[in-house]
Amino acid sequence: MQRQLWSHTQYREPMTHHISLLTDYGLNDEFVGVVKSVISDISPTARVVDLTHGVKPFDVRGGSLALARAIQYVPDGVIMAIVDPGVGSTRRAIAVEVAQGRGVFLGPDNGLLGPAVALAGGAERSFELTNTALHLHSNGATFAGRDVFAPVAAFLANGGTLEEVGREIDVASLMPGLIPIPTVENHPTHGEGLHCEVAWVDVFGNCQLNIGPDDVAHMGDVLRVVIGDDVRSARRVTHFAEIDGGAIGAVVDSYGMIALAIDRGSAAEALRLEEGDEVFVFEGHSEVSTSSVTLRSTK
């Protein structure tokens, strides 16, 4: 059973001791190490958790979905999320308070934080990080993770207050996140179906769709999946080993969403799917073949 968001136990440390990081920095350069060094130098007692640094560069949507997936497991504290193609521009650097102060999100005001903030109960207060006395001096403005967000995160970890990080701003002015919503639409060939998209492709090639079990409950045990000109059937299963060898299955993944999967294989490669690709889902029939496929051309 998943724990309640932002719950306290008698054993939990004060929330300000935890800093959770999500970025698109990757691990080939020194960016992550520098950010964590700045935090450690200012707040040596802070516990830093790396959620991921593997968000695709500049992919605000992908980063926001990753943060939303992770947030229910993140400890109370500071959540610093950086996917910031507008760094150095007029976009705002913000702090967003949630859950009666048990959580504070730090990041750019570009929609990255929106879905996770909503899942954490919604924004209660927000501040623009305008107090430059807390920032590191820099000759350039292109590494806000190091110069702005890291020192502010460490400041909060040391017990600093939100009122000190800058000016309060209206939560209604924050840029909302863009979450893809499935819709019932008419396919030009196959009639009325559920129009959805690939929300996430994980490292194993499982393709998470933006639909849950309730969305397809009326469709029976076999789904008909249309991807461009390709038509596949996907039997609904509870785990990967239940999928017939080489076939596509529709499994409820660890986040409770429907994912297209192959047992010990990559559905993304087999179906030439990427994040953001559209998929139509219809009620299928058990006699539909699950082994043949005409692959689309590589993008």
Side-chain angles (χ1 to χ4, degrees):
M1 180 177 178
Q2 295 174 352
R3 74 176 182 88
Q4 184 180 358
L5 276 175
W6 309 105
S7 62
H8 280 297
T9 73
Q10 63 185 24
Y11 305 108
R12 186 175 297 281
E13 295 184 11
M15 79 92 176
T16 49
H17 286 185
H18 297 271
I19 300 174
S20 301
L21 301 179
L22 178 145
T23 76
D24 63 348
Y25 290 161
L27 296 177
N28 290 331
D29 297 304
E30 70 276 11
F31 301 141
V32 173
V34 168
V35 164
K36 294 171 74 172
S37 294
V38 169
I39 292 172
S40 180
D41 186 48
I42 298 172
S43 182
T45 61
R47 297 178 61 181
V48 179
V49 175
D50 297 293
L51 298 178
T52 183
H53 300 290
V55 176
K56 293 178 183 178
F58 320 121
D59 187 1
V60 174
R61 174 187 172 279
S64 71
L65 292 174
L67 187 61
R69 290 193 300 270
I71 195 60
Q72 61 188 310
Y73 303 102
V74 172
D76 299 350
V78 178
I79 305 94
M80 176 177 150
I82 311 296
V83 182
D84 194 11
V87 62
S89 70
T90 57
R91 71 92 184 92
R92 297 182 297 190
I94 57 173
V96 181
E97 182 182 58
V98 298
Q100 298 178 331
R102 297 197 301 275
V104 176
F105 289 84
L106 298 177
D109 183 21
N110 60 4
L112 175 66
L113 306 180
V117 167
L119 287 172
E124 295 172 355
R125 294 191 298 165
S126 58
F127 293 79
E128 186 175 1
L129 308 185
T130 53
N131 182 4
T132 57
L134 298 178
H135 306 170
L136 299 186
H137 171 73
S138 175
N139 292 320
T142 62
F143 197 177
R146 176 196 66 192
D147 301 329
V148 179
F149 296 112
V152 170
F155 169 78
L156 293 173
N158 284 341
T161 67
L162 274 177
E163 290 81 1
E164 296 173 276
V165 304
R167 67 180 184 92
E168 187 167 4
I169 55 178
D170 186 352
V171 296
S173 73
L174 300 179
M175 184 175 292
L178 298 177
I179 294 293
I181 303 298
T183 55
V184 176
E185 298 182 16
N186 279 316
H187 187 277
T189 304
H190 299 275
E192 187 177 274
L194 188 60
H195 183 208
C196 51
E197 71 173 62
V198 179
W200 177 40
V201 176
D202 69 16
V203 68
F204 300 105
N206 303 313
C207 300
Q208 184 190 78
L209 304 180
N210 62 326
I211 55 175
D214 291 345
D215 296 311
V216 297
H218 63 288
M219 295 185 180
D221 293 334
V222 178
L223 306 178
R224 182 160 42 104
V225 179
V226 178
I227 305 162
D229 295 328
D230 301 332
V231 182
R232 297 296 304 263
S233 67
R235 188 164 60 93
R236 295 178 61 192
V237 298
T238 60
H239 55 275
F240 301 120
E242 194 179 353
I243 303 171
D244 295 332
I248 300 295
V251 63
V252 179
D253 69 11
S254 59
Y255 293 102
M257 306 300 286
I258 297 292
L260 302 178
I262 294 177
D263 183 29
R264 285 168 284 188
S266 170
E269 290 184 4
L271 298 174
R272 297 292 192 266
L273 280 175
E274 298 179 357
E275 293 173 4
D277 283 352
E278 70 172 12
V279 176
F280 270 88
V281 177
F282 305 85
E283 181 177 0
H285 305 283
S286 59
E287 64 269 18
V288 177
S289 170
T290 61
S291 58
S292 63
V293 62
T294 301
L295 298 178
R296 295 182 294 159
S297 60
T298 304
K299 293 182 178 180

